[in-house]
Each structure stands twice: as C-alpha cells, then as structure tokens.
Amino acid sequence: MADEPGGSAAVTLAGVAIAFPLAGGAIYQAVQGIDLAVRPGEFVAIVGPTGCGKSTLLNATAGLLQPSAGRVSIFGAPLSGLNGRSGYLFQADALMPWKTALDNVAVALEPQGVRRGEALERATQWLTRVGLKTFLGSYPHMLSGGQRKRVALAQVLIRNPEILLMDEPFGPLDAQTRQIMGNLLLNLWAQDRKAVLFVTHDLEEAIALSDRVVVMSAGPAATIIGDFRVGLDRPRDAAEIRLDPEFHRIHKEIWSSLRAEVQKAYAFGEAG
Amino acid sequence: MTRFKLLLAQIGVGLVLLALWHLVTNYPIFGTVKNAQFFFSTPGDVMLRVVREFASGEIWRHLWITLQETVLAFVFGAGGGILMGFLFARRELLAAVFDPYIKAANALPRVVLAPIFALWFGLGIWSKVALGFTLVFFIVFFNVYQGVREVSPTVLANARMLGMNERQLLRHVYWPAALTWMFSSLHTSVGFALVGAVVGEYLGSSAGLGYKIQEAESVFDVTGVFAGMVILAVFVLVIDSIVTVIENRLLVWRPGPGGVGKS
C-alpha cells in the first residue's frame, strides 16, 4: 500500500520528515521516514504518545506545513500550497466567534462561489443533519463544546471535501459526548465514505472508528512503528463496539506495541 | 443587588455629596459663608444657573457645537486609526519603520498642539476636531493593530482551509477581529473625542461648553464654572449611554462578563 506508486491513493506520504528550528540555531526533528498511503474511502486513525508529531503530520498533509524532506501527494499529484481537496477539523475552537452557527457554516461555501441564499439554505440542512436545527442563530459562545464541534463538522463537510483530516477533534469533550460525536461522524461518513485521516491519542476511539490504525513511536524523530487492520463490521456503534471480543483482541494487539512508546514519551518528558 | 436598589444607592451617594457641599457653603464651618461661597459657590446657585441656561435656550447652541466637534473627531480619529492599524498589522516592514515615530507622536502631550491647530485651522470647530483626532486616533490605532495581529491562529488556519482568499479573510476574519478591539475601546475613545473638543474650546474659541467654562473662569464666576461642569458631566453620561446601546447591539456575539452569554 505505502509502496503503491501514488495512482489510486487519496493521500500518499513518502519518506516525509518534518523539522522545526529551535531557539539558538538547533533543529528539532519532529518526525522522519514516514511512509503512509490512505486509499479513497478508507478511514485511517493515527495513534501515538503525546508529542509524537501526529498533528504535525496532519498539518503537512493539509499543506499548512512544509515537510523538510519527502513528498506529500494528493490523488497522485504532489501537494503545493494548501490542500484544497481536504477539509480540516481542528482540535481547538476554530469557529469564527463573531458569526452565528448558520453564518459559520454558510460562509464555508463562499470560496466556492455559491450564492448567499443557496449557501444559507444548504447550511440550514447541514446543521439539521448534525442535530442543531434549533441553534441556527446561536453564537459559538452560547453553544456547548460538543455543539461547537457539530457546527465545525458541518462547516467542513458542507464543502464536500474528498479527504477529511481530523486532529483529535473530540479531544476536549467528555467521554459520553465523544462517543455521541463518534457515532455522528460514522453516520455522516458512511453516506459517501471519504478518505479520513484521524489523529487521536485515544486508542479505543481509534479502533472504534477506523479501518486501519497506524501507531507512531515517541518523539523526537517519531516514525510509524505499526499498521493494524481493524476488521470490525460496519455499520458500527462507537460505544457498543467496545464490548465486542474482536475489539478487545485488536486493542490488546495494538496496545502491546504502543505501551512501550507511551512509557518512553513519559520518560522523555520527565527527563527533559 | 437589584437594579432598583442599585439606582437608589447611586442617587444616595449624589445626595450625600450635595448635602455636604450645601452644609459647608451655607454655614460658617470653614471660615465665613461669604468666603466659602466665593470659592465653592453653592449647589442651589449652581442648579439655578443650570436651569437658567436651559430656560434661556442659550446653552443649546454651545452643546450643539461641542457635540459636532466630538462626533467629527471620533469619526475621523476612528476611521484613520482603523485604516492605519490594519495597514501596519498586515505590513510588518511598515510597522517596523514607523515604530519610533508613532511612539514619539503618541507620547507628545496633545495640549501643546492646540495653539498650532488654532493657527492652522482657525478658531472654528476644525481646530477642535483636529485636537480630538490626535487623541482618538492613537487609541483606535493601537487597539486595531493589536486586534489584527492577535487573531486566533486556529480561526485563521481554519478559514484558510475553508479556501478563503485574502479578500475573504479580510472580510470574515481580520475585519471583525479589528472591530471587536475597536469597540472594546469605544468608551475611552469617545471620551477622548469629547476631551479634545472641550480642551480645544477652552484654549481658544467663541462657542462650545469649553468656551462657556473658560468665560466664567475669566471673571471668577465660580457658579458659572460649576454649572458648566455639571452640564458637561450630564452630556458625557448621555453620550456614554448611547455608546453602550450601540456596543450592545454590535457585539451580541461576545460572551457576557463572567462567561455567561444568553442574550
């Protein structure tokens, strides 16, 4: 898969390394030697200990960040500038606080040249789909964390991107809300199966949602140390799937490779 | 405290202060009554003078002049501040080059400019507008500059990932962010516009509230000075409450104090 010559993969990372300059002229090597391919319609989760550069990798795929070595290709074409074929769901609040939920979603269609009347109509439909029909006129600060994520999800999906990049999108939410959001995401995704690259530090969430779990080593110079297929049936319920014996088997298998890295990350964090 | 009780307390403070003033100036507590009245007038006389000013209709002309100057100073100052704040925040080089000049100009006490402005723009309203402009401009400029530079990087990255071009970013992200900061300084900048107008009038004019006060001072008419100050204070309160109304309408999206935001 990773060695496939780019043709059919939605996202191909080949030999990608990313480094940041530090104060004092030193260089911090965040990730290196990353080979990864995401096929169209595939839901891939990246897990790894805190600070392993998962989000950095995602930003490189989005074009927000230039890799220091290697190549990022989107549907076979080398990426230059921002990745216009992808939608990005951020971990932090990314909604425009001065716009209502409706305007936040509708404005996402403006770059595509959709007329305002139509944009408002489609935004209303999308907010209804994510269960926020009665919150159209609410400003972000009036919404709960989970509701804001729903608006952000609608904002990203209304543009109908071919690739979805998600950076610990449900990280700040409580456990129950996370499961509800996970199910909402699975339902929406099942309708047209976009390629998804989902970064999380929560292994259970990764298994519950994805087709494939990619494990990264602890940073610095983090790389991919494991690639596991999740053979659980779809459609799934993000909460109930966790009781499935197969889920436990996969969890155990992946955790055995992840555990050492998590401990390494802690040791590094305490030493530094 | 309920709104009603708060209002009662606010009125109470005023009444106590007035009563003290009345006592000190009508009874020989500190020196003779005549002396006390010469220096401090009395609340009764001041109120009487205020009423007479309004009854004769004389004051309206002066209020109108001061209001015009205040509004013009605010509009030009805020407009210029927004424009320059935007430009400097988006063009790092420009900001770096002009930095020492901006700082020097801002540190200059504006009062020293008043005679120059009178020379350049005459004794009419425009020299006062110019003085108010120099006060309002810097407040708005610094706020907008800060606001545009400190737009949340996540909001910005998100907007760019949504495919917005430079013009759309300006309209949907930078502009609202800058406006927020401008409005957060709205009370201060409107206040300074008024200060500019009144100080300008005080230093040389033939109309306006500042002129009325200056005129009274020149003949040691303490009652007139206090009457002018009372009218000025009420004028400020009225303008400030109008600003509050405008602010509340334009910033509905902002969380209220304490983070609770149900409108």
Side-chain angles (χ1 to χ4, degrees):
Chain A
M1 285 177 306
D3 42 318
E4 205 172 341
S8 62
V11 175
T12 313
L13 305 178
V16 167
I18 299 161
F20 298 105
L22 290 177
I27 282 179
Y28 178 78
Q29 189 71 40
V31 298
Q32 68 179 23
I34 302 286
D35 292 306
L36 178 68
V38 181
R39 289 197 310 265
E42 194 179 28
F43 197 127
V44 175
I46 302 181
V47 293
T50 327
C52 74
K54 315 179 285 274
S55 304
T56 310
L57 210 55
L58 207 62
N59 286 340
T61 312
L64 289 167
L65 206 80
Q66 204 69 351
S68 49
R71 203 161 43 78
V72 179
S73 308
I74 304 302
F75 292 104
L79 177 65
S80 70
L82 286 182
N83 184 347
R85 298 172 80 166
S86 72
Y88 197 125
L89 198 59
F90 289 83
Q91 179 180 17
D93 273 330
L95 297 174
M96 286 159 259
W98 39 80
K99 289 188 186 294
T100 60
L102 183 63
D103 279 334
N104 257 295
V105 179
V107 84
L109 288 175
E110 196 182 298
Q112 299 178 348
V114 177
R115 265 182 296 116
R116 182 151 168 84
E118 192 196 330
L120 288 175
E121 209 171 289
R122 280 166 64 186
T124 308
Q125 285 168 11
W126 264 103
L127 283 167
T128 307
R129 283 168 90 173
V130 297
L132 288 180
K133 195 183 170 146
T134 51
F135 295 93
L136 298 180
S138 300
Y139 289 91
H141 80 267
M142 303 172 180
L143 301 170
S144 69
Q147 288 169 331
R148 286 202 289 270
K149 281 292 169 219
R150 286 164 190 259
V151 178
L153 195 59
Q155 190 187 48
V156 167
L157 291 177
I158 196 171
R159 297 174 60 241
N160 197 22
E162 293 159 278
I163 302 162
L164 262 183
L165 305 174
M166 311 180 101
D167 181 16
E168 302 195 31
F170 311 141
L173 307 178
D174 64 80
Q176 270 155 8
T177 313
R178 289 174 79 133
Q179 291 184 354
I180 293 168
M181 290 302 293
N183 274 333
L184 175 68
L185 174 63
L186 282 184
N187 285 336
L188 293 172
W189 175 75
Q191 290 167 17
D192 52 6
R193 300 229 172 182
K194 300 167 193 308
V196 179
L197 203 50
F198 187 99
V199 164
T200 177
H201 62 257
D202 181 348
L203 180 54
E204 289 193 21
E205 185 179 57
I207 301 170
L209 299 178
S210 66
D211 298 319
R212 231 172 98 202
V213 176
V214 171
V215 180
M216 285 184 71
S217 66
T223 192
I224 293 175
I225 54 163
D227 195 329
F228 301 85
R229 185 146 296 282
V230 178
L232 296 166
D233 292 336
R234 292 195 189 270
R236 301 177 194 163
D237 181 294
E240 283 167 18
I241 196 78
R242 290 166 206 238
L243 306 173
D244 194 303
E246 174 68 4
F247 182 94
H248 283 283
R249 195 194 58 74
I250 298 169
H251 188 281
K252 211 169 157 185
E253 188 185 350
I254 302 178
W255 179 243
S256 65
S257 78
L258 187 58
R259 184 170 53 194
E261 297 305 325
V262 171
Q263 282 163 353
K264 240 187 271 174
Y266 272 115
F268 182 76
E270 274 159 24
Chain B
M1 209 188 272
T2 64
R3 241 186 130 102
F4 180 68
K5 274 189 189 160
L6 184 66
L7 188 67
L8 277 186
Q10 286 170 336
I11 292 171
V13 170
L15 286 180
V16 168
L17 287 176
L18 282 177
L20 277 176
W21 184 8
H22 181 79
L23 282 177
V24 170
T25 51
N26 281 285
Y27 299 94
I29 304 171
F30 303 107
T32 63
V33 169
K34 205 179 159 203
N35 250 340
Q37 289 193 349
F38 175 76
F39 285 112
F40 299 103
S41 188
T42 72
D45 285 350
V46 171
M47 285 307 140
L48 210 65
R49 181 71 71 88
V50 171
V51 169
R52 221 184 307 139
E53 290 283 5
F54 279 99
S56 73
E58 163 74 3
I59 198 70
W60 292 112
R61 187 171 67 89
H62 297 287
L63 276 176
W64 171 237
I65 297 275
T66 303
L67 181 68
Q68 268 179 303
E69 290 162 356
T70 304
V71 169
L72 286 171
F74 175 75
V75 168
F76 287 122
I82 291 176
L83 220 66
M84 296 297 279
F86 238 98
L87 192 69
F88 277 37
R90 302 291 288 138
R91 299 274 177 275
E92 284 297 322
L93 183 67
L94 213 59
V97 170
F98 279 89
D99 182 63
Y101 298 100
I102 296 271
K103 279 185 182 144
N106 184 39
L108 200 71
R110 302 322 129 75
V111 179
V112 304
L113 293 173
I116 293 284
F117 286 150
L119 200 63
W120 292 349
F121 303 110
L123 292 176
I125 67 168
W126 292 104
S127 57
K128 286 79 194 169
V129 172
L131 193 62
F133 173 90
T134 61
L135 290 164
V136 173
F137 172 83
F138 286 99
I139 299 169
V140 175
F141 169 80
F142 285 119
N143 272 295
V144 169
Y145 180 68
Q146 197 79 355
V148 172
R149 281 167 56 104
E150 287 182 5
V151 171
S152 152
T154 316
V155 171
L156 198 57
N158 187 46
R160 291 176 62 209
M161 284 307 292
L162 292 176
M164 288 192 191
N165 59 27
E166 195 63 17
R167 197 180 54 79
Q168 287 159 338
L169 284 180
L170 210 65
R171 181 163 157 223
H172 295 298
V173 180
Y174 288 117
W175 178 247
L179 276 193
T180 318
W181 281 72
M182 197 208 88
F183 282 121
S184 72
S185 61
L186 200 61
H187 289 276
T188 327
S189 46
V190 168
F192 271 104
L194 183 64
V195 167
V198 172
V199 169
E201 288 162 0
Y202 185 85
L203 293 175
S205 69
S206 53
L209 280 180
Y211 165 75
K212 285 289 284 183
I213 294 175
Q214 196 272 335
E215 190 191 39
E217 272 179 3
S218 66
V219 294
F220 298 104
D221 173 12
V222 177
T223 308
V225 174
F226 281 154
M229 281 170 17
V230 167
I231 294 169
L232 186 60
V234 173
F235 186 63
V236 169
L237 281 181
V238 170
I239 287 192
D240 200 66
S241 53
I242 293 172
V243 169
T244 305
V245 170
I246 294 173
E247 196 179 22
N248 288 342
R249 296 228 22 194
L250 288 171
L251 292 183
V252 278
W253 60 268
R254 248 199 342 198
V260 263
K262 290 275 175 233
S263 62

